[in-house]
Amino acid sequence: MEFIDLKKQYERIKPQIQDRINQVLSHGKFIMGPEVAEFEKQLAAFVGAKYCVSCANGTDALLLSLMAHEVGPGDAVFTTPFTFIATAEVICLLGATPVFVDIDPDTYNIDPVKLQKVIEDTKKGIVRGAGIAKPLNPKAIIPVDLFGLSADYDRINQIAKQHGLFVLEDAAQSLGGSYKGKKLGNVTDIAATSFFPAKPLGAYGDGGAIFTNNEAMADRLRSLREHGKGSHKYDNVRIGINGRLDTLQAAILLSKLEIFDSEIKERQEVAARYTRAFKDLVKIPYVPDGLLSAWAQYSVVTEKRESYLSKLKELGIPTAIYYPRPLHLQTAFSHLGYRQGDFPIAEHTSDRIFSLPMNPYLDSVDQGRIIEAVKKAAEGISRG
Ligand SMILES: Cc1ncc(COP(=O)(O)O)c(C=O)c1O
């Protein structure tokens, strides 16, 4: 058994994928070929946003979104320490400062109550990281929809409005999920997603996209992803990057988008079965009313993580830990001066969380094996 198995999906849509790839090989427009615009149009419609600007990966999607808002030195960008490094890395790449805010203990997403407090403190010149130069200009919030579950956008958007900030949703893990009936990717000012192969909508390589309802913003993003081009390739009006999505990846994603709705439904079934089986054994994922998770991961929390992991390994069940170390304790951010104890919920969760195999193609036999293995591990632990 593999942690992420992409072969069964390929078997389901092999002829469509091969046709799409062959079309690209025939027309030969490998950069910005017709599939790129077609994919952007279809994905914008899927999410319900006016514009989708595709790009090379989810990290560039975040970076381009910040560049388009001219985020730079002296700016504070508020985000969660319990995420993949890319979320905060892009802030530093532009010379701005990530200001971390602890997470909610149940959803593992940024805690709006703490967010409000940290923004107010930052405005007063109080910031926790000892290495952070003060004062900072609060500029943006990057909430992450961790494991596919939406952050609390009603409250986050309201806080952003109150303080004049923009919200960049990191929807790398949550495409296909929704918040109170609205598709994720279309619940804030701007959103970034990733098509890394293991994501809910994954390419066969790197890919990413940005969503916005603002036409001028979409134009700026299109310029930035192609070296800041103006009216043509050799008219460069701003500093940008080479951040385009490959035509081949767009072609593959077009085939995968056709079955994406059905895969999201299948993920709900896999998650529901896990939840029924594990509710008395470990802390299962919490999905607030009105939210639909894209179930990028199924993650559980337990005081006995090491015992579970070693028993599951012995029984041939792959597992993963997202994330073993919160970002404020990563060497790359040591210049910010955060310390152990600064974000207790993120730290506590990092020490106890682990993820089980989750994908739409997990058949009942394999899932049964995983459930039995978790139960066996739990029995062993309760016997001591
Ligand atoms: C929360 C989050 N943000 C950003 C990224 C970056 O995406 P990519 O790997 O496509 O650059 C990822 C995934 O890798 C992610 O999980």
Side-chain angles (χ1 to χ4, degrees), residues 57-59 62 83-84 86-87 144 170 172-173 194 196 199 207 323:
N57 52 66
T59 309
L62 292 165
T83 178
F84 183 59
T87 313
V144 177
D170 184 341
Q173 303 182 6
S194 162
F196 184 81
K199 298 288 189 251
Y323 295 91

Side-chain angles (χ1 to χ4, degrees), residues 85 88-89 92 98 100 327-338:
I85 184 147
E89 183 179 44
C92 292
F100 293 119
L327 295 188
H328 66 287
L329 301 178
Q330 290 287 356
T331 311
F333 296 116
S334 57
H335 62 286
L336 299 175
Y338 287 107

Side-chain angles (χ1 to χ4, degrees), residues 250-324:
I252 288 156
L253 286 161
L254 275 165
S255 303
K256 293 202 184 189
L257 195 53
E258 282 176 30
I259 55 164
F260 191 43
D261 264 329
S262 134
E263 289 183 338
I264 290 290
K265 281 200 194 93
E266 286 146 15
R267 284 179 187 270
Q268 307 306 315
E269 286 158 25
V270 173
R273 191 166 173 216
Y274 272 154
T275 291
R276 280 193 301 275
F278 301 148
K279 61 182 182 334
D280 300 323
L281 306 179
V282 288
K283 184 175 174 192
I284 50 166
Y286 166 63
V287 181
D289 283 348
L291 272 54
L292 183 84
S293 177
W295 293 112
Q297 301 294 342
Y298 189 96
S299 306
V300 300
V301 165
T302 166
E303 296 293 325
K304 306 281 181 198
R305 179 171 71 186
E306 292 322 309
S307 312
Y308 273 103
L309 294 185
S310 63
K311 187 69 187 173
L312 290 172
K313 189 169 181 202
E314 188 190 312
L315 296 170
I317 308 297
T319 55
I321 297 179
Y322 304 112
Y323 295 91

